[in-house]
């Protein structure tokens, strides 16, 4: 799916949200919505903060912000593996994350990926290490219908300052980071300096301690 245009991003911020259905397989409230704005119609996934179930080890009402932070980090790395995501203030059930909907085949997933597709998951494996993903399930990895572009969704349980990694992806354990991914990773520490652009973008979404932990993981 091509990157969203400025007008489409404006639609995510200002468009009318029409509820189309609810995804019922998760513990938090998640809805399919259609965004209506000017002459455009876009599908998105809406996760209201008020629908988040409290967790003992993550701050209350913080998952939508973490979803948004994961998108910003993916973009900063140039990996384009997290669908466009933003925090939306005005929405049917209040503030929440609004993420671009990716069409995919739900019957083709991590546990039955062909070998060639599994080899492509090294970037998601590295991304999960970086964001300290505490909930990487096989169903959270999508191949877009038609393009076969690789996407990772459901990054709400990420960025904790303590070690929390829980994942189904162990295919690359013990392997060296590929040079092209390592090169992208090495661009992050300067971007996470308080005077750089990424830090102030993440600061409303994550605590200073969590951003510092993220920075430290880039150096590990």
């Amino acid at each position: 799916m091509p990157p969203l245009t400025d007008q489409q991003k404006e639609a995510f911020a200002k468009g009318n949200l029409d509820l189309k259905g609810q995804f019922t397989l998760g513990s938090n409230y998640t809805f399919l919505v259609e965004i209506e704005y000017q002459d455009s119609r876009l599908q998105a996934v809406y996760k209201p903060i008020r629908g988040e179930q409290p967790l003992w080890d993550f701050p209350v009402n913080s998952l939508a912000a973490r979803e948004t932070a994961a998108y910003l980090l993916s973009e900063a790395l140039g990996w384009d593996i997290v669908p466009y995501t933003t925090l939306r203030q005005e929405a049917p059930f209040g503030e929440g994350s609004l993420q671009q909907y990716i069409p995919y085949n739900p019957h083709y997933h991590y546990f039955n990926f062909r070998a060639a597709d599994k080899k492509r998951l090294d970037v998601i494996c590295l991304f999960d290490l970086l964001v300290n993903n505490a909930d990487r399930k096989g169903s959270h990895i999508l191949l877009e219908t038609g393009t076969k572009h690789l996407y990772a969704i459901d990054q709400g349980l990420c960025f904790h300052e303590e070690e929390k990694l829980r994942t189904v992806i162990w295919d690359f354990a013990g392997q060296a980071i590929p040079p092209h991914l390592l090169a992208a990773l090495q661009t992050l520490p300067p971007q996470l300096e308080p005077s750089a652009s990424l830090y102030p973008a993440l600061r409303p979404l994550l605590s200073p301690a969590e951003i510092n932990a993220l920075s430290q993981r880039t150096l590990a």
Side-chain angles (χ1 to χ4, degrees), residues 62-76:
S62 70
L63 305 191
R66 296 170 192 279
E67 294 267 15
T68 307
Y71 165 74
L72 293 176
L73 188 65
S74 169
E75 292 302 290

Side-chain angles (χ1 to χ4, degrees), residues 19-185:
L19 290 174
K20 293 298 184 182
Q22 181 178 359
F23 299 95
T24 59
L25 294 180
S27 56
N28 300 311
Y29 282 71
T30 305
F31 300 93
L32 177 67
V33 299
E34 183 174 76
I35 306 173
E36 302 175 359
Y37 186 69
Q38 297 177 354
D39 296 327
S40 65
R41 298 290 186 273
L42 300 168
Q43 286 189 315
V45 177
Y46 165 51
K47 296 182 179 181
I49 289 175
R50 65 190 289 188
E52 296 177 5
Q53 299 299 314
L55 300 166
W56 69 269
D57 56 346
F58 277 82
V60 175
N61 298 337
S62 70
L63 305 191
R66 296 170 192 279
E67 294 267 15
T68 307
Y71 165 74
L72 293 176
L73 188 65
S74 169
E75 292 302 290
L77 289 161
W79 289 348
D80 189 26
I81 55 172
V82 179
Y84 179 78
T85 311
T86 188
L87 273 182
R88 174 72 181 249
Q89 301 292 328
E90 296 182 3
F93 297 114
E95 183 181 6
S97 64
L98 195 61
Q99 185 173 87
Q100 180 183 14
Y101 175 78
I102 303 299
Y104 73 104
N105 177 3
H107 301 294
Y108 186 60
H109 48 74
Y110 171 80
F111 294 106
N112 60 18
F113 276 166
R114 291 183 289 271
D117 287 328
K118 275 207 170 182
K119 288 181 180 179
R120 301 169 57 195
L121 302 184
D122 54 356
V123 62
I124 293 182
C125 181
L126 180 57
F127 186 75
D128 285 346
L129 287 170
L130 187 60
V131 302
N132 195 19
N133 195 335
D135 188 37
R136 174 61 71 209
K137 296 182 173 68
S139 58
H140 297 171
I141 304 165
L142 314 181
L143 291 182
E144 184 182 14
T145 301
T147 69
K148 302 303 181 185
H149 186 93
L150 184 66
Y151 285 103
I153 61 169
D154 285 340
Q155 273 86 218
L157 298 185
C158 290
F159 297 106
H160 203 290
E161 58 192 278
E162 299 176 6
E163 178 61 45
K164 294 284 183 180
L165 182 67
R166 293 192 291 269
T167 177
V168 299
I169 307 175
W170 290 98
D171 308 69
F172 306 94
Q175 297 184 20
I177 299 174
H180 69 287
L181 296 181
L182 183 60
L185 188 63

Side-chain angles (χ1 to χ4, degrees), residues 65 68-69 72-73 76 87 188-208 211-212 214:
T68 307
L72 293 176
L73 188 65
L87 273 182
L188 266 187
Q191 297 186 68
L192 290 170
E193 292 292 332
S195 59
S197 59
L198 184 58
Y199 184 94
L202 291 176
R203 183 61 193 88
L205 307 170
L206 304 173
S207 72
I211 297 175
N212 181 65
L214 168 63

